[in-house]
Amino acid sequence: MIKSLFVISDGPECGKTLLSMGIALRFKNEGYKVGYFKPVATEMKIEDAAPIDEDVELMKHVLDQDSSTEDMAPVMISHEFLEDFTSELREEILEKITAAHRKLSKDFDILIIEGARTPNVLSHLDLSSISLAKIFNSSLLIVSKGSDDSIVDGIVHYKKMVDSEGCPLVGCVLNNIPRQFTGRADKFVRKALEGNDIEILGVIPEEKILGSPTVEGVHEFIGGDLVEGKDHQDKLIEGIYIGALSTEGARQYYSDFRDKALITGGDRADMAVAGIEAGVSLLILTGNLYPPNGVLTLARLKKVPIILVPYDTFTTVKRLDAVTGRVKLWDKRKLEVYEQTVSEFVDWKYVLKKVKGAD
Amino acid sequence: MFNPSRVVVAGASRTRDKIGYEVLRSIIESGFRGDIYPINPKADKILGHKSYPNVSEIPDHADLAVVVVPAESTLEVAENCGERNIHGLITITAGFKEVGPDGAELEEELLKICKRYRMGLLGPNCVGMIDTYSPLNASFAPCMPTQGDIAFISQSGALGTAILEWSAKERIGFSKFISLGNKADLDETDFIDALSRDPRTSVILAYVENIKRGREFIKVARKTTLKKPVVLLKSGVSESGARAASSHTGSIAGRDVSYNSAFKQSGVLRANSIEELFDYAMVFSTQPVPRNDRIAIVTNAGGPGIIATDACESYGLKLASFGIDTIEKLGRDLPSNASIYNPVDVIGDAKADRFEVALDTIMEDENVGIVLLIMTPQIVTEPKKTVRMLSELHQHFPEKPIVTSLMGGDSFYESLNILSSHHIPCYPFADRAVTSISALVRYARVLERPGKLIFPRYDANKPFVRRVLKKVAKDDRNVLLGHETTAIAKAYGINVPPTKLATTQEEAIEMADEIGYPVTVKISSPNIIHKTDIGGVKVGLSSPDEVKNARSEVLVNARRLVPTADVYGVEIQKMIPKGLELILGMSRDPQFGPLIMFGLGGIYVNFLRDVSFRLAPMTEETAFEMMQETKAYTLLRGVRGESEYDMDAVVDTILRISQLSLEFKELIEMDINPIVVYSKGDGVSALDVKMTIDREV
């Protein structure tokens, strides 16, 4: 069977896709034909009446993979999946997955297989990520994120499940680790995991750029009128501030405004100007109140986009919350950053050795 | 721009009521003695002057061009003016930055052309400029003001024209009027600088909504105020005003404390209203700076005398104590029911002769620096005779300022004219007169300042500070941790208790042993500013066990109350003895640079607000001055049997913070609260130091 690395995480949003991408590219650079496979996808959107998985689209593009998206992601699970439950469902799904796997195996030397949102998905059909890894004879890699010592327990828990299925575990990667925790992770967490026979193959520090949506991404979610800054929609937004205080009261927060989105009323010229001067990435003006010329002029000078929305602040914030959970990775800068990050912080050579050497 | 020999009017019009017509008419009617070149491709002659199709065709070199063509044509006109070596461009035309981003781009282009040809640009979107001595009215102001020695710079064209019309009624004369417009190039600082050298100007007034080049303004204003008074009204002080100002100017309204500090330190007198602006102008343009600040009040009405006395006290002015000779003479020569002490009440039936007795005697008294005459209309009052007498008396004592308040109506009309013709200021009410006198006194103090300023420089470990700040930026933080801030403070010679960061329990105990008990444990996180509020500080720890428990407790509290905070560990800090708690701070003002704060510290500082501000760089005198403005200063001098505290050490620390903030522009905020002061000679200790940087600088 084709050599494969099955990447799972002990929770959602741990960075499986980016890690898979980084490792795949490193393997490719070593001369291997590397393909990406996501047997069970849960994060889909509908485009042209068809469901697609954005991660698959990304990987297809980054790896320049010729395979069809149906083969790369043969099974898409909706949030109402139990409505489709039948006694034959397991066989149907397994057949789709193994057929796709067979096809991809013909075209590549190594498959990077990404697990579902969490390893538990489809456990009720005995098709969890670990079960699939066993079927494919894959080596497993666990990705985890966290900011305190409790990061250990999720990893150890899944390691025990991997062991009970008899699958080989290559090791784990700690991803998106806050900088103040990396030292501790290297010292205490490593010791605790090694005591459970788990190798840490990388401690990747937090990189804000990766979790940040662009102005364009935000505009897509919240709607409204982009009244200024059409050419600067690639700016990244690292957080959100609401400008409701007086300018004097808000002064203590100005140093934090840089690279953030600032939401304020269109009649708050003082706050808008302060935000622009402080280096916000985006100004969102609520209540459909058109800002005065002075604000527009300054925004153009400082290259700050302005979006005018008809809703109130609360509604705008709720919509923005949804954006940060669905950050598009399709930003060239982010991809470059991540590729370099994996090279620098992950012992991918060890991973390759283990994958190649697996029976 | 001042005193041109030839003026071009680009966009001159043959049609009455058009700006191009009115501006040309203003220039002609102002009596300008030089050549005037109207530019209009469709006219041969306008208002009796030969017109030219464009600037390139004027016969001789011109110094100044007034531009009133439509906005989109200004670039071509500017190019033509540049090619003809015209030095000054007054662009009255609107439609630039004030109309939005497209207009701002046009303004930028216009500025580029002016810079290329080294032409000074006034405006655009301004009313123009008036010089009453040239004479030249290159504006569309409705009238030419009376000649005088007051120069008025206005960021609002509309306010400017309103003032010009009002001034005619009030008999106030101007040397120059300048409407700044959008301040694309020339701004208030440029004109204050130019007017400082203008022999026709003895007082400079300004109305601004913002100051473009804050630090340059301070330098120029400081030099200027040693020669002549600068009185300035700045709007946008209130929350709503600031909002309106931001709307209008598209710039941060700026902290009023920064402006106040800038004015104090440069000797600029701040007016709080349009009325005050011109009240001050009146007194400065007519009266000398007093040699002493003691005021004598003479009145024929007790009530206004008391009001004036109250006003003096509220402004911190002192009433003169008369010499014994003065008192004896007044006692002898005034009726027995008159009041012979200051304020002198010559009572309601006083005629001119009684006023003369009082004023003559008082003017001779060496203890009197300034005289205020308050007159009310009683049936026997002789206002004209009185003011004529006063005017003559003033000539005998030209070094003593005289200010009057004739509190009445029509009966004083002619007297007002007499006073005005003799350059004696008169105010309708006594309190306004006192406000103006206070400005004279303040200016006298400005003139006492040393011409040359000495800013102390301290040795500091700048490379170390640079390394620390670089590491913080690399960590993607803008808030420094406690052990970093104390290290930087130490590098600048500021006394700090030993502070170390412990990331593990073992480290915490080791460090406490090293530093020496008792110690304090504080949570270390850039996201937790008020550590005490979340139970993030434990003090008075005297053993390893106490340190261990304290560490656990602050970590639990932090995780529970601020779960999203990035926690780096805990700081172990040596406990210091108690003393007087002060606060020192710095915040970087976008216009003026580092603004230093001093005041009474501790956890209630935001509520007590006993603080004062000054801008860096500072001299020792400035540092002392700012301390003296607070109640904390009284405490520093020692109260209730306490001995004096170490003020020199406080001044020293203020100056070191000033230097640190000037040398590291990436530092945008600093807070030492508390800085603990000890008895004289025992120094200070900076207990809690916070710093914020701008990573992009």
Side-chain angles (χ1 to χ4, degrees), chain A residues 174-189:
Chain A
L174 308 185
N175 190 24
N176 205 27
I177 303 300
R179 281 173 204 276
Q180 72 274 12
F181 185 56
T182 50
R184 200 176 165 77
D186 250 335
K187 196 171 165 186
F188 295 101
V189 175

Side-chain angles (χ1 to χ4, degrees), chain A residues 214-252:
Chain A
T214 58
V215 169
E216 187 178 7
V218 163
H219 188 203
E220 200 186 298
F221 261 82
I222 66 171
D225 268 328
L226 184 73
V227 298
E228 194 52 55
K230 286 177 179 48
D231 297 332
H232 307 295
Q233 295 188 74
D234 60 343
K235 283 189 164 199
L236 293 170
I237 294 164
E238 291 181 15
I240 304 164
Y241 266 94
I242 300 172
L245 295 172
S246 64
T247 40
E248 190 58 35
R251 196 172 296 280
Q252 58 185 306

Side-chain angles (χ1 to χ4, degrees), chain A residues 293 296-298 300-301, chain B residues 95-111 182:
Chain A
N293 285 328
L296 292 169
T297 303
L298 187 67
R300 182 165 303 181
L301 178 70
Chain B
F96 293 87
K97 187 172 85 169
E98 78 282 0
V99 302
D102 294 336
E105 283 172 1
L106 186 63
E107 187 167 306
E108 198 53 39
E109 290 306 307
L110 176 63
L111 181 61
N182 291 0

Side-chain angles (χ1 to χ4, degrees), chain B residues 409-682:
Chain B
D410 290 344
S411 60
F412 285 146
Y413 184 77
E414 286 175 53
S415 307
L416 293 175
N417 284 337
I418 295 169
L419 285 170
S420 172
S421 63
H422 285 91
H423 307 295
I424 294 177
C426 185
Y427 299 93
F429 296 106
D431 37 7
R432 268 174 72 177
V434 170
T435 310
S436 303
I437 289 171
S438 77
L440 271 180
V441 169
R442 274 186 281 146
Y443 186 59
R445 291 189 191 131
V446 167
L447 292 177
E448 285 165 12
R449 290 178 176 188
K452 202 167 153 49
L453 299 172
I454 298 168
F455 302 120
R457 277 200 65 81
Y458 300 96
D459 286 331
N461 191 349
K462 285 164 66 171
F464 171 79
V465 174
R466 215 166 275 127
R467 282 197 300 274
V468 173
L469 296 178
K470 230 175 163 175
K471 182 181 172 295
V472 173
K474 198 160 172 272
D475 256 2
D476 249 357
R477 282 186 281 131
N478 49 25
V479 176
L480 276 68
L481 301 172
H483 70 291
E484 293 164 337
T485 57
T486 48
I488 288 176
K490 195 171 169 192
Y492 265 76
I494 296 169
N495 191 37
V496 284
T499 308
K500 289 176 184 275
L501 175 68
T503 58
T504 66
Q505 182 178 281
E506 204 183 322
E507 277 180 9
I509 292 169
E510 257 171 37
M511 286 170 185
D513 278 338
E514 205 182 301
I515 282 171
Y517 294 97
V519 296
T520 300
V521 162
K522 299 186 202 180
I523 193 74
S524 182
S525 167
N527 313 111
I528 301 174
I529 307 297
H530 301 296
K531 301 182 209 293
T532 318
D533 292 354
I534 61 117
V537 179
K538 294 284 162 208
V539 303
L541 309 166
S542 305
S543 71
D545 271 345
E546 284 184 11
V547 168
K548 183 178 145 202
N549 293 337
R551 175 182 172 269
S552 300
E553 199 177 330
V554 304
L555 285 172
V556 162
N557 287 343
R559 297 258 186 247
R560 192 170 60 87
L561 294 170
V562 200
T564 56
D566 293 331
V567 174
Y568 280 68
V570 296
E571 285 151 22
I572 309 295
Q573 187 178 64
K574 177 103 184 122
M575 273 207 69
I576 58 173
K578 284 196 187 308
L580 179 64
E581 291 187 354
L582 301 176
I583 182 170
L584 294 178
M586 184 282 293
S587 62
R588 196 168 293 274
D589 185 277
Q591 270 111 3
F592 295 105
L595 179 71
I596 311 294
M597 178 180 76
F598 163 85
L600 203 54
I603 59 172
Y604 301 117
V605 60
N606 287 333
F607 305 97
L608 294 174
R609 292 184 180 262
D610 178 37
V611 290
S612 63
F613 296 89
R614 287 295 187 278
L615 293 160
M618 293 166 66
T619 62
E620 272 187 32
E621 289 75 24
T622 311
F624 259 116
E625 231 174 62
M626 74 183 290
M627 284 166 58
Q628 286 166 330
E629 285 177 5
T630 65
K631 294 188 177 95
Y633 178 70
T634 312
L635 295 178
L636 279 167
R637 285 168 59 199
V639 294
R640 303 288 294 265
E642 285 177 344
S643 57
E644 194 182 314
Y645 287 90
D646 200 336
M647 283 195 261
D648 289 339
V650 177
V651 166
D652 184 77
T653 310
I654 291 173
L655 296 173
R656 287 175 191 270
I657 288 174
S658 167
Q659 182 178 329
L660 169 60
S661 50
L662 285 166
E663 290 177 350
F664 287 93
K665 292 190 173 25
E666 55 267 63
L667 276 171
I668 54 172
E669 241 167 45
M670 222 189 305
D671 221 43
I672 305 181
N673 184 23
I675 179 161
V676 182
V677 193
Y678 301 107
S679 298
K680 195 175 166 87
D682 291 342

Side-chain angles (χ1 to χ4, degrees), chain B residues 43-64:
Chain B
D44 294 324
K45 221 175 187 179
I46 306 177
L47 286 170
H49 290 260
K50 179 172 166 36
S51 171
Y52 299 87
N54 61 56
V55 178
S56 322
E57 297 191 36
I58 59 174
D60 290 303
H61 169 258
D63 314 282
L64 179 68

